[in-house]
Amino acid sequence: MALLWTVVSVSFSIIITPFLMFLLAIIFLASIGKSLGVRRLYVKILLKIFEYGRQHIEIAKKDQRREMVTGSSCEGDGDADADATEDERAAAAASTAAAVERAAGAEAGADAGAGDAAHAPATRRPSPGGGAKAPACNGSAGALLPNGALPNSLSVISREDLILSPVPSLNSANGAAKEGLPRSRSFETLKREFELADCLEFVKAGVEAIIEDEVTLRFEAEELKSWNLLTRTNSWYEFISWRLTVIWVLGFLVRYCFLLPLRVLICFIGVAWAVLSMAVLGFLPPSSLKRWLHKRAFIITFRILARCLSMVLTYHDTQYRPDKGGVCVANHTSPIDIITVSTESCFSLIGQRHGGFLGVLQRALARASPHIWFERSEVKDREAVAKRLRQHVSDPKNPPILIFPEGTCINNTSVMQFKKGSFEVGGVIYPVAIKYDPKFGDAFWNSSRFSMMQYLYMMMTSWAIVCDVWYLPPMYQKEGETAIDFANRVKSCIARQGGLVDLMWDGQLKRMKAKKEWKEAQQEEYSKRLKLE
Amino acid sequence: MGNRSSLLLREEEIAQIQEETGFTPNQIERLYSRFTSLDRGDCGTLSREDFLRIPELAINPLGDRIVHAFFEEGCGDRVNFLQFMQVLAHFRPIKKGRDNKLNSREQKLKFAFKMYDLDNDEKISRDELLAILHMMVGANISEEQLTSIAERTILEADQNGDQMISFEEFCKALERTDVEQKMSIRFLN
């Protein structure tokens, strides 16, 4: 009994000391803002493991399909099989190239779908087995493909005709002609009398929407092209092979037994630091010293929190980083976005007052610096919030204010309608585009499914959060431009930079039904095209 | 997301659907995944609200008629996966030399005909046509003009003088329309 006790205590002290040293090292590095590159190395290793797993799954699936196909003699088995394997190869090549590019730190977004002819020949290479730099497969480096649009290997249909949109002048044939046609001219020449065949267009658009629409998939976690060894994304692959199961078990142990406790501890330390430092700073009288100290404390807090989620952040174009006042807007995926942008600069935050864990953080931060937290009931009172916003922005000593104009969390494959409130304040807008890499952990917070605690738990048991942040040049409202047009202009800038799909739809569709006015607008659009007697 | 293993399709079901509709197993799996994502209550069937939750369908002027086409009378107001696929099968492109059971030109025309035929009596009356016109233009065109449009349309299509459009007359009226292209959806792999 005594022997057992000694053994336990000795092994405990053997493990605990390096553990604590490790922890201290992390905190220390967070405070001084340096990094040893351990996380990046970790991410590279993970990529190689994913690649290995994916190839394995492809092989296993192909064997399964071959058995099924030889057994049945249905129509389309010939070209279905050929299509499937060709698609698989192309998808495999595309995701290999994309994966290796990411490891090389290249710009994200070149997730070329298999259908893109220009890229297909270049990416059709056997897998390099990790480590080798990708060939310059996107010679057109400027052309970021919207990877929020389902790559062809995941799409069921290809939409070539009418796609309805809440703004009928933007009803489009698959992205074509979003810029304004000279509407008035085309109406007179294109008006036709009513025919029985007129309904066919709407019917087809409706059935296509039932099969695949632009909006509903934005409120679910992004679908991965291949499994990333987390149970939560395993909706396709049941048991495939022993090797994969072993890898999965090892991964499970690493994530739950080593990473999770470490991360929880770091998070605890980070929050404790925030509460204490902000409380202390709250006692100081307003002065430039206080602001300087606050900025340091703020950044340290979020650096610690970033490490607690194993975030690997890559910043682009840091010359445009907002430093002195103004309004900073970004696309919204989850509350983690705040951590993502706050590790390098200090912001004032604006948002709904929460209870629980977020509430603790909110109250702590509010002690030392002007943040705007409002109650739900006050949201309806736009004037009050707008006034406070204007006050904040007009004082040049205040830090820039961080706003998420979508108003709700979207799954990071698209950018939905920006609310015009933040664009009416005047002043300069600093757009920021944030794109998470879903392979390592899905950062999207599906608030209708998961509570904050569940979400944090899922985040802390993911592999890592890998993310690209682009700072865009500041934008100003043009003469005669309405707030809505300005908002749309900023939105399309952000969407283009982040490789996200630019949607006109309102993010509130997550919770609400489509407005009647949109249907009426479609009816009006159609009636304009009818020639009347 | 998460594990929906209890609702995964069995091989026999896939084979049966493939036999009836002509979709490939890959397409059937993808469409099944779509079906389950629309099925919020996880009960294996869809209701009208599940369909109308899709914003693009909710703002479609003919959205209600399209949803109605999935709910054949007498089958209650829930749609299971087989019925779902049977309706979608109408929109498969016509392939020459293949057996087109559900997606022949005539089947597509029948589907379009049912959009107009509100009371399912195999004839389109003037009032039914007027109702569809109302759905498509809303309040933007006056009642008299709509009535005259409806009457003109029936006059042009009606051949046996009963003031109603039967299915044959409908097909004749649309014989110069490229129904194959307008009523076919381009499915991938």
Side-chain angles (χ1 to χ4, degrees):
Chain A
M1 195 58 212
L3 183 65
L4 187 64
W5 181 243
T6 5
V7 167
V8 166
S9 61
V10 164
S11 56
F12 191 62
S13 54
I14 291 182
I15 299 176
I16 199 84
T17 330
F19 187 75
L20 280 178
M21 302 272 326
F22 190 46
L23 192 65
L24 277 173
I26 293 177
I27 304 291
F28 177 64
L29 286 171
S31 325
I32 58 173
K34 296 275 180 271
S35 169
L36 283 177
V38 174
R39 279 171 291 155
R40 285 188 197 268
L41 184 63
Y42 167 61
V43 161
K44 279 200 192 112
I45 296 177
L46 277 178
L47 272 175
K48 292 195 190 137
I49 298 179
F50 289 163
E51 191 40 45
Y52 174 75
R54 194 195 48 72
Q55 287 166 29
H56 210 68
I57 293 174
E58 302 277 333
I59 299 174
K61 263 204 134 176
K62 234 176 280 183
D63 290 337
Q64 274 182 359
R65 273 282 144 76
R66 211 151 279 147
E67 286 170 26
M68 250 184 61
V69 164
T70 50
S72 62
S73 54
C74 316
E75 73 151 271
D77 91 44
D79 51 22
D81 195 25
D83 284 348
T85 45
E86 174 154 315
D87 227 84
E88 266 172 79
R89 248 189 291 124
S95 64
T96 316
V100 176
E101 263 180 76
R102 284 225 178 77
E107 271 191 27
D111 255 10
D116 189 348
H119 284 165
T123 59
R124 224 174 265 263
R125 282 168 162 265
S127 53
K133 292 247 181 236
C137 71
N138 54 339
S140 53
L144 284 169
L145 277 171
N147 62 2
L150 292 177
N152 277 355
S153 55
L154 292 182
S155 251
V156 194
I157 58 177
S158 148
R159 303 190 68 170
E160 283 150 8
D161 289 320
L162 180 64
I163 300 178
L164 299 179
S165 153
V167 180
S169 54
L170 296 174
N171 281 354
S172 68
N174 216 9
K178 282 257 169 84
E179 317 306 320
L181 277 175
R183 251 9 193 145
S184 49
R185 206 183 333 138
S186 62
F187 273 141
E188 290 313 309
T189 51
L190 291 183
K191 271 196 183 184
R192 306 173 291 117
E193 290 193 339
F194 172 74
E195 292 174 351
L196 284 170
D198 278 355
C199 77
L200 297 183
E201 194 183 37
F202 286 119
V203 171
K204 179 170 169 179
V207 177
E208 279 182 340
I210 291 178
I211 296 176
E212 202 171 274
D213 78 301
E214 285 283 334
V215 182
T216 51
L217 57 85
R218 309 294 170 195
F219 304 131
E220 299 267 326
E222 184 179 351
E223 198 167 338
L224 294 172
K225 282 209 278 270
S226 78
W227 192 35
N228 66 345
L229 301 170
L230 295 174
T231 328
R232 64 193 73 142
T233 51
N234 184 0
S235 59
W236 291 105
Y237 307 103
E238 307 106 68
F239 175 77
I240 297 279
S241 79
W242 284 112
R243 256 179 277 181
L244 223 51
T245 315
V246 164
I247 298 182
W248 179 80
V249 168
L250 283 177
F252 181 89
L253 287 173
V254 166
R255 280 183 296 124
Y256 280 80
C257 304
F258 172 59
L259 287 177
L260 180 62
L262 184 65
R263 286 172 180 169
V264 169
L265 268 178
I266 300 181
C267 179
F268 189 66
I269 294 178
V271 174
W273 163 261
V275 171
L276 287 173
S277 64
M278 295 300 163
V280 164
L281 284 176
F283 287 121
L284 292 179
S287 64
S288 59
L289 176 67
K290 174 183 183 179
R291 280 193 292 278
W292 188 87
L293 283 174
H294 169 256
K295 185 167 175 185
R296 297 276 158 269
F298 188 90
I299 293 182
I300 291 179
T301 310
F302 285 105
R303 285 218 177 103
I304 300 179
L305 289 177
R307 276 161 174 74
C308 96
L309 294 170
S310 296
M311 294 185 85
V312 178
L313 301 166
T314 315
Y315 293 98
H316 305 267
D317 298 330
T318 47
Q319 69 267 26
Y320 297 123
R321 186 188 311 151
D323 246 342
K324 306 186 227 315
V327 175
C328 180
V329 303
N331 55 314
H332 199 29
T333 306
S334 100
I336 290 184
D337 291 338
I338 301 178
I339 304 182
T340 311
V341 291
S342 298
T343 54
E344 301 277 312
S345 41
C346 171
F347 290 101
S348 281
L349 306 173
I350 176 171
Q352 225 144 272
R353 229 188 280 268
H354 282 277
F357 176 69
L358 277 184
V360 167
L361 220 46
Q362 283 179 342
R363 283 191 293 277
L365 290 172
R367 282 197 193 98
S369 170
H371 296 276
I372 305 181
W373 306 117
F374 46 77
E375 298 289 343
R376 238 173 210 275
S377 48
E378 226 183 295
V379 174
K380 297 211 171 76
D381 191 355
R382 290 225 173 98
E383 283 304 312
V385 175
K387 202 159 63 126
R388 285 172 73 184
L389 201 52
R390 239 181 288 255
Q391 261 176 351
H392 183 101
V393 171
S394 56
D395 184 351
K397 295 199 288 273
N398 284 335
I401 188 155
L402 180 63
I403 301 186
F404 298 107
E406 282 165 310
T408 187
C409 295
I410 312 290
N411 77 344
N412 207 232
T413 56
S414 69
V415 183
M416 298 186 98
Q417 188 194 53
F418 276 4
K419 302 277 183 288
K420 63 176 163 58
S422 14
F423 297 90
E424 289 173 323
V425 166
V428 56
I429 302 277
Y430 296 96
V432 175
I434 305 176
K435 177 83 186 107
Y436 293 93
D437 187 344
K439 278 203 289 283
F440 299 96
D442 184 26
F444 169 54
W445 181 30
N446 192 346
S447 47
S448 48
R449 252 183 184 235
F450 304 113
S451 70
M452 181 85 238
M453 282 293 122
Q454 279 174 311
Y455 171 69
L456 278 179
Y457 176 70
M458 279 170 52
M459 285 295 102
M460 291 195 190
T461 53
S462 306
W463 296 110
I465 311 272
V466 176
C467 158
D468 281 283
V469 180
W470 287 272
Y471 292 108
L472 296 165
M475 299 177 81
Y476 301 84
Q477 190 167 5
K478 290 194 188 133
E479 281 294 320
E481 192 182 32
T482 60
I484 298 182
D485 288 333
F486 183 34
N488 286 336
R489 192 161 56 95
V490 175
K491 172 161 70 84
S492 54
C493 240
I494 292 182
R496 213 175 321 133
Q497 180 62 268
L500 305 164
V501 176
D502 185 2
L503 291 180
M504 289 305 299
W505 294 93
D506 187 346
Q508 296 303 321
L509 282 168
K510 194 157 77 161
R511 299 189 189 98
M512 72 172 196
K513 285 210 178 111
K515 293 196 186 139
K516 266 212 292 266
E517 296 90 62
W518 296 333
K519 187 173 191 170
E520 288 161 9
Q522 292 294 331
Q523 290 170 327
E524 197 187 319
E525 177 77 6
Y526 174 69
S527 53
K528 282 196 199 133
R529 294 198 326 232
L530 273 188
K531 192 156 80 169
L532 303 167
E533 282 111 42
Chain B
M1 290 215 58
N3 242 330
R4 290 210 164 96
S5 48
S6 56
L7 298 174
L8 280 176
L9 278 183
R10 293 192 307 275
E11 296 293 337
E12 315 88 69
E13 288 174 326
I14 299 184
Q16 180 198 10
I17 295 175
Q18 186 173 14
E19 173 65 32
E20 281 197 38
T21 61
F23 283 113
T24 65
N26 213 7
Q27 291 168 341
I28 295 174
E29 278 179 7
R30 296 287 323 168
L31 289 168
Y32 187 70
S33 151
R34 173 67 170 170
F35 181 85
T36 44
S37 75
L38 290 173
D39 179 15
R40 289 284 183 91
D42 261 357
C43 45
T45 56
L46 296 178
S47 68
R48 283 171 216 264
E49 288 76 41
D50 287 325
F51 281 103
L52 289 171
R53 215 175 277 127
I54 302 172
E56 280 178 53
L57 188 62
I59 69 170
N60 191 318
L62 293 179
D64 289 319
R65 292 299 303 157
I66 297 170
V67 173
H68 185 79
F70 283 86
F71 293 85
E72 275 178 77
E73 43 183 315
C75 288
D77 38 44
R78 299 200 76 95
V79 175
N80 67 21
F81 184 57
L82 182 61
Q83 293 163 328
F84 181 74
M85 292 299 278
Q86 282 167 340
V87 172
L88 291 184
H90 289 300
F91 288 85
R92 284 185 58 239
I94 300 179
K95 287 213 180 87
K96 295 198 185 26
R98 297 276 174 86
D99 184 18
N100 298 299
K101 279 178 268 203
L102 288 172
N103 61 335
S104 60
R105 185 188 161 91
E106 190 185 326
Q107 287 285 341
K108 291 180 196 284
L109 283 167
K110 197 87 177 61
F111 191 88
F113 185 78
K114 283 203 275 202
M115 290 287 113
Y116 287 103
D117 186 11
L118 294 167
D119 58 5
N120 252 330
D121 63 353
E122 317 270 333
K123 289 197 190 300
I124 305 176
S125 69
R126 193 196 74 161
D127 290 331
E128 286 173 343
L129 195 50
L130 208 51
I132 298 290
L133 279 168
H134 267 297
M135 281 190 218
M136 288 167 82
V137 309
N140 292 292
I141 298 184
S142 71
E143 190 71 22
E144 302 86 52
Q145 286 181 314
L146 284 182
T147 315
S148 82
I149 292 177
E151 284 176 349
R152 175 187 57 79
T153 312
I154 295 196
L155 205 58
E156 284 175 358
D158 188 16
Q159 285 170 338
N160 64 355
D162 61 352
Q163 305 295 327
M164 303 220 270
I165 306 179
S166 70
F167 182 54
E168 291 77 35
E169 290 162 356
F170 184 78
C171 292
K172 191 94 178 38
L174 262 66
E175 70 184 346
R176 263 181 285 123
T177 315
D178 186 3
V179 173
E180 285 85 343
Q181 193 270 322
K182 291 199 174 181
M183 290 282 278
S184 292
I185 295 178
R186 198 171 144 228
F187 286 93
L188 301 170
N189 73 346

